[in-house]
Structure formats: structure tokens, C-alpha cells
Amino acid sequence: GESVGLHLPTLSVQEGDNSIINCAYSNSASDYFIWYKQESGKGPQFIIDIRSNMDKRQGQRVTVLLNKTVKHLSLQIAATQPGDSAVYFCAENMAGGTSYGKLTFGQGTILTVHP
Amino acid sequence: DSGVTQTPKHLITATGQRVTLRCSPRSGDLSVYWYQQSLDQGLQFLIQYYNGEERAKGNILERFSAQQFPDLHSELNLSSLELGDSALYFCASSVIAGYGNGELFFGEGSRLTVL
């Protein structure tokens, strides 16, 4: 059949605003979650991770929230800057797996930050 | 710069041909991962090697194969190429293979175009 490109969700914010990017995951057996950022022409770059025994983790300007009840993950970016413009992916890893690098990536969200 | 080097950056070839993509991991990283990023499938895990041995396998076609050499560099071989194999192929590396810090360091990718 005809293949179609992924239609990525988009989020457009003003510089200095806080951004929230959401992700729904499907595998209730997943116990490790990661956010990656991909800038145009580059490979994905690790932002922050969280294990399933936590519901919140903070990094520098970023916070990840995990709601296992509804299988939802979010990434909050404080004081968003133009350099934060990129595609953001959530990724999950299944419990009991032998490899934390065998990740299932979400479709991604395009974040555009306007000066 | 992630420290992961991929060559070639761009490759154009014809259907039915065979290509080899090369990856040099970060110094000291024992694990190498290959991911495929396409417009319709997103980022998909293909295969992982740890210190020369296959550790995990994803949705890798039988026409594709990979290996990791004693010096830890890895090659992804794609044969009998089809139009649908056109994609960005990423290599990533990490220090360990199993549970632990799941941070992967991605290269900038090899863009394959099959005509």
C-alpha cells in the first residue's frame, strides 16, 4: 500500500515561555524512559531519563514526569530558548530486557521557539 | 560532537545493490547500536553489539547484517536494496550493554538514497 509520512505533533512557543511536550507509551512492561532531542541534520541527543519507580526527575531546565497509571510521560522545558528548537522523542525500554539501548521511540514532537 | 563517527554521510545507489555503513564508537564504549530513521516508520532499533557479540535484535531485515570488529568499530551491511530502504541510518554507542545508564551517544547518521 501507499506509505505516508509521519505527521508529527508540533508545539510553537515564545522564547522565555515554559514548554510541555507529551508522550503516551503503550507497553505497560516498560520500566525505563528517556527523552531525546534531535536537531536538524544531527543524531538524537540524550536529555533526561527516568525509571518507573519514580514519578518525577529534574535536570538542568528540564523536568520529566511519569504517570504509569495512564502510561503518560511529559517533558517540561523551563525558559525555552531558540536553541531548544528541535524534534523531541520519548523512548521506552522494556523491563527485563537485556539491553537498555534497545529503545522503542515515539513519533516525535516538533518544538519551534520564536525569538 | 557525540564522539561517534559514521561514514559515509551520504550514499546514493540503485535498487539491487549492496552497501556498507561504518561506525566508530566513542572511545571506551563497548556497545554499538544501529537504528533506522525513515519518514514513515520513525526511529527503529535494528541491532546491538557488545564487545564483538550480538546482544539484541530488533526489526532488522534478513537482507541486512551487521558485525562489530575487535577494535569495536561496527559495520552495517545492506544488500538487495529496495526503494523502501532509503533512510537515515544511525549508529549509537554506550559504555555498557545491560541495565544501567541508558544514555546512547548517536552519530550524525548515514543518509542512504536508493534510486
Side-chain angles (χ1 to χ4, degrees), chain A residues 26-101:
Chain A
S26 56
N27 192 343
S28 56
S30 294
D31 72 341
Y32 180 60
F33 305 88
I34 313 101
W35 282 97
Y36 279 86
K37 167 187 179 182
Q38 186 175 20
E39 297 175 8
S40 180
K42 296 188 176 181
Q45 180 183 3
F46 176 92
I47 301 174
I48 192 168
D49 60 359
I50 188 168
R51 300 187 193 282
S52 60
N53 61 353
M54 303 171 70
D55 52 21
K56 180 179 179 179
R57 191 168 187 219
Q58 289 184 291
Q60 188 176 12
R61 281 202 307 119
V62 294
T63 300
V64 55
L65 299 177
L66 174 63
N67 185 331
K68 295 181 289 293
T69 302
V70 294
K71 292 190 283 188
H72 184 267
L73 197 64
S74 69
L75 177 70
Q76 301 177 359
I77 305 174
T80 316
Q81 303 165 0
D84 295 326
S85 295
V87 180
Y88 288 79
F89 295 93
C90 64
E92 59 187 290
N93 184 269
M94 194 172 66
T98 57
S99 169
Y100 260 129

Side-chain angles (χ1 to χ4, degrees), chain B residues 47-111:
Chain B
I47 198 164
Q48 179 205 352
Y49 279 81
Y50 175 75
N51 204 21
E53 295 193 358
E54 183 183 305
R55 174 59 70 99
K57 214 166 184 176
N59 297 324
I60 187 167
L61 299 172
E62 285 191 9
R63 299 184 286 109
F64 296 179
S65 65
Q67 54 184 329
Q68 185 180 28
F69 294 87
D71 67 352
L72 301 179
H73 91 271
S74 178
E75 293 181 355
L76 179 67
N77 301 296
L78 315 175
S79 62
S80 303
L81 285 168
E82 302 176 359
L83 296 177
D85 298 327
S86 295
L88 257 175
Y89 291 85
F90 286 106
C91 171
S93 72
S94 69
V95 175
I96 58 175
Y99 281 143
N101 184 340
E103 180 174 1
L104 302 186
F105 295 87
F106 282 82
E108 296 200 338
S110 293
R111 181 173 293 280

